[in-house]
Amino acid sequence: MKIEQIYTGCLAQGAYYIVSDGEAVIIDPLRETKPYIERLEKDNVKLKYIFETHFHADFVSGHIDLSRKTNAPIVYGPTAKPEFDAIIAQDNQIFELGKIKIKVLHTPGHTLESSSFLLIDETGKEKALFSGDTLFLGDVGRPDLAQKAENMTQEDLAGLLYESLYKKILPLDDDIMVYPAHGAGSACGKNMQKETVDTLGNQKKTNYALNQNSKESFIKAVTEGLLPPPAYFGMNVAMNRKGYESFDEVVSKGLNALSPEEFEKTAELFGALILDVRNNDVFAKGFVPQSVNIGLNGDFAPWVGALIGDVKQPILLIADENNQEEALTRLSRVGFDAILGFLEGGFDTWKENNKEIDTVHRISAKQFESEIKNKEAKIIDVRKESEYQSEHVDEAFNKPLAYINDWINELNSEEHFYLHCAGGYRSMMAASILQARGYRNFTEIEGGFSAISKTGVFKTNFVCQTKVFPYIK
């Protein structure tokens, strides 16, 4: 028997490849099927089942394409209603795989169809739990994603989640290994540990949600502090439930090289968003006007989902040479399939054709220190609230990047301000969006708070926003 966790860091997502005696299953595959097909061929095994723990919200699964290419059936837990052929398992149903068995545990709460899969080895011992978004390491799945569709409150779903965890999972043996669908950084939970595999026994000791003294306290604990889900989540659920265009076709259409003239005409004709995926330090020095910068070198796909939102938005790409297919792959993972093409030759070709370019006014942390010395400065920190609360520049305002569409209209375009994040990745995203919306009277700080913290700029480790600056309504 072999269990392989296939972890994708930029999505904080874990897929699983399990082999026993010439047969395999894959749990929660990503959209691109090639890595899985290659594993099957290398091991000379037949894919018997594709297990889906639920209809995922934060990524588009590869279940449909993988089933088409291998003829392996897709398996969901009870109550799932996909709009394609699938096996809808019963609670406690057993599926045989070589010399081992996989038992379906219906564990609703994160969503109503959510299920976990319990692996039983050839001796009959329960060895591993593939817990999907029901149980994470250090946390549990957020119980607010299915409420609109099912007329349930997040408290109702949290109550179901309590029953699933405390009656079906906690009674299992401590030495069972827990393999969750996500790790730290995923928007599907709020308190995940950095590890991606653990024993159930250790989770019983360390996971706050598994140590509540009542159902009421559990509901309160897991529903407190939930941030609004990203806008693209509902669209990804729909794609996973209804079906989608083949990944191969999406990539083939997106790999459409456009000259600068064709690029301009396409952008205007389709109202396309220009997405520049180069590193922020390169982008700052020159880019196509109105471009939005989300670098491939960070949490690219989740930020695309959070900031663009609509998966049907037509997109044109600007990428370094040989990065176009990587960008397309990552976009398709979160359902952004309307890629019209990319700028042939990248930004260098744009410059060589004497096209208009734009830049971001970026300064070093040292220069920032010099400019604000002995005078009032207006500063926006686009880090998450938790980062800001731990330490921040004195008198800075916290405006998280994830909510830029909410706070951007509060800015007074006539008042200059400084802009920073932790290291420059997020603040450059914010800068590009601001300039695309007509805000130019600001300065972005290279290296972000990491660089600022090494200067003499006064910092504080407590929240204090009592002073109202004129650029905030």
Side-chain angles (χ1 to χ4, degrees):
M1 180 183 69
K2 176 173 78 169
I3 299 173
E4 181 182 356
Q5 181 185 65
I6 306 170
Y7 198 80
T8 304
C10 68
L11 282 176
Q13 190 268 347
Y16 296 95
Y17 173 65
I18 307 165
V19 175
S20 175
D21 198 28
E23 295 181 331
V25 300
I26 295 173
I27 301 174
D28 293 339
L30 282 183
R31 192 166 178 185
E32 62 272 26
T33 60
K34 185 178 178 181
Y36 309 117
I37 300 293
E38 289 176 347
R39 279 173 170 80
L40 294 166
E41 292 175 348
K42 179 182 177 182
D43 293 340
N44 192 28
V45 296
K46 175 181 174 60
L47 184 62
K48 192 171 184 180
Y49 300 110
I50 300 159
F51 284 97
E52 287 285 289
T53 55
H54 63 295
F55 295 123
H56 305 282
D58 60 314
F59 72 98
V60 177
S61 177
H63 56 317
I64 296 174
D65 276 351
L66 193 57
S67 181
R68 288 175 185 149
K69 292 182 178 182
T70 65
N71 293 318
I74 302 165
V75 180
Y76 283 96
T79 76
K81 297 176 181 179
E83 297 183 16
F84 45 82
D85 290 339
I87 297 171
I88 308 303
Q90 297 179 352
D91 192 21
N92 296 316
Q93 184 171 344
I94 299 289
F95 289 83
E96 296 188 354
L97 178 73
K99 296 179 180 178
I100 66 174
K101 297 177 181 178
I102 294 178
K103 183 178 182 179
V104 177
L105 300 180
H106 187 210
T107 50
H110 174 65
T111 64
L112 291 180
E113 79 285 349
S114 285
S115 296
S116 303
F117 302 114
L118 183 63
L119 187 150
I120 304 168
D121 72 11
E122 56 190 86
T123 70
K125 180 172 175 53
E126 296 172 346
K127 294 284 289 187
L129 180 72
F130 301 90
S131 57
D133 284 21
T134 297
L135 175 62
F136 298 128
L137 304 188
D139 203 358
V140 293
R142 58 189 298 168
D144 63 327
L145 298 183
Q147 55 184 315
K148 290 182 180 178
E150 301 293 344
N151 263 340
M152 298 183 75
T153 67
Q154 64 181 21
E155 287 76 19
D156 293 334
L157 284 163
L160 287 177
L161 186 58
Y162 174 87
E163 299 292 332
S164 296
L165 291 163
Y166 280 70
K167 293 185 177 180
K168 289 193 173 182
I169 291 180
L170 281 179
L172 298 173
D173 291 343
D174 286 357
D175 61 353
I176 286 176
M177 299 302 298
V178 177
Y179 295 96
H182 292 291
S186 169
C188 293
K190 61 182 181 180
N191 192 49
M192 299 187 211
Q193 297 167 351
K194 63 181 181 179
E195 295 79 12
T196 61
V197 179
D198 196 9
T199 63
L200 182 58
N202 193 51
Q203 284 303 299
K204 290 176 183 179
K205 296 175 184 176
T206 62
N207 191 319
Y208 78 96
L210 304 184
N211 286 279
Q212 299 299 315
N213 56 21
S214 69
K215 185 174 183 178
E216 290 70 27
S217 67
F218 174 89
I219 292 172
K220 182 179 180 182
V222 302
T223 55
E224 278 184 339
L226 287 176
L227 298 174
Y232 76 103
F233 268 26
M235 301 175 199
N236 275 198
V237 170
M239 293 176 73
N240 283 318
R241 183 171 58 84
K242 296 179 180 180
Y244 48 74
E245 188 175 6
S246 164
F247 169 79
D248 297 333
E249 292 175 5
V250 170
V251 172
S252 177
K253 288 193 298 184
L255 287 175
N256 176 31
L258 300 170
S259 70
E261 289 74 21
E262 292 171 327
F263 193 86
E264 282 183 301
K265 290 178 182 177
T266 303
E268 184 175 350
L269 180 63
F270 292 94
L273 182 145
I274 301 173
L275 180 61
D276 191 321
V277 303
R278 295 175 297 155
N279 290 354
N280 65 82
D281 55 342
V282 177
F283 178 86
K285 297 172 184 176
F287 56 91
V288 175
Q290 304 297 306
S291 298
V292 171
N293 176 236
I294 305 179
L296 276 176
N297 62 324
D299 292 335
F300 173 73
W303 277 118
V304 167
L307 297 177
I308 300 176
D310 184 2
V311 299
K312 296 181 180 179
Q313 167 66 50
I315 293 173
L316 286 167
L317 283 174
I318 298 176
D320 292 330
E321 196 170 359
N322 301 321
N323 275 347
Q324 294 93 350
E325 188 165 353
E326 176 68 14
L328 284 165
T329 297
R330 294 204 198 178
L331 286 165
S332 71
R333 286 174 181 167
V334 287
F336 287 81
D337 290 357
I339 314 303
L340 305 179
F342 64 92
L343 181 60
E344 187 173 20
F347 183 68
D348 288 341
T349 299
W350 186 266
K351 285 196 301 182
E352 289 164 4
N353 280 264
N354 297 315
K355 297 291 186 179
E356 181 184 356
I357 66 171
D358 200 356
T359 60
V360 169
H361 183 216
R362 167 175 261 194
I363 63 172
S364 68
K366 275 291 185 184
Q367 186 175 342
F368 170 63
E369 178 185 19
S370 175
E371 288 188 12
I372 67 169
K373 190 174 183 180
N374 300 322
K375 71 175 185 180
E376 188 177 272
K378 305 168 182 64
I379 304 161
I380 292 181
D381 181 338
V382 299
R383 296 178 299 164
K384 293 187 294 185
E385 184 180 3
S386 59
E387 296 172 274
Y388 173 84
Q389 287 180 343
S390 65
E391 189 179 24
H392 57 268
V393 175
D394 188 38
E395 299 288 9
F397 275 76
N398 184 217
K399 298 291 180 182
L401 173 63
Y403 307 116
I404 190 170
N405 290 323
D406 297 329
W407 57 257
I408 192 169
N409 292 327
E410 297 175 356
L411 300 176
N412 181 346
S413 61
E414 296 180 2
E415 294 288 337
H416 177 270
F417 59 91
Y418 293 92
L419 183 72
H420 78 85
C421 64
Y425 182 76
R426 286 172 286 178
S427 57
M428 190 55 64
M429 286 190 244
S432 67
I433 293 170
L434 286 164
Q435 292 196 181
R437 305 274 184 89
Y439 294 88
R440 305 193 67 88
N441 194 13
F442 67 89
T443 301
E444 191 264 351
I445 304 166
E446 183 178 12
F449 190 76
S450 177
I452 294 169
S453 65
K454 297 170 184 173
T455 71
V457 173
F458 187 74
K459 298 167 286 294
T460 181
N461 59 3
F462 59 91
V463 178
C464 180
Q465 285 196 358
T466 57
K467 188 171 184 180
V468 180
F469 289 130
Y471 71 101
I472 299 290
K473 287 184 180 178

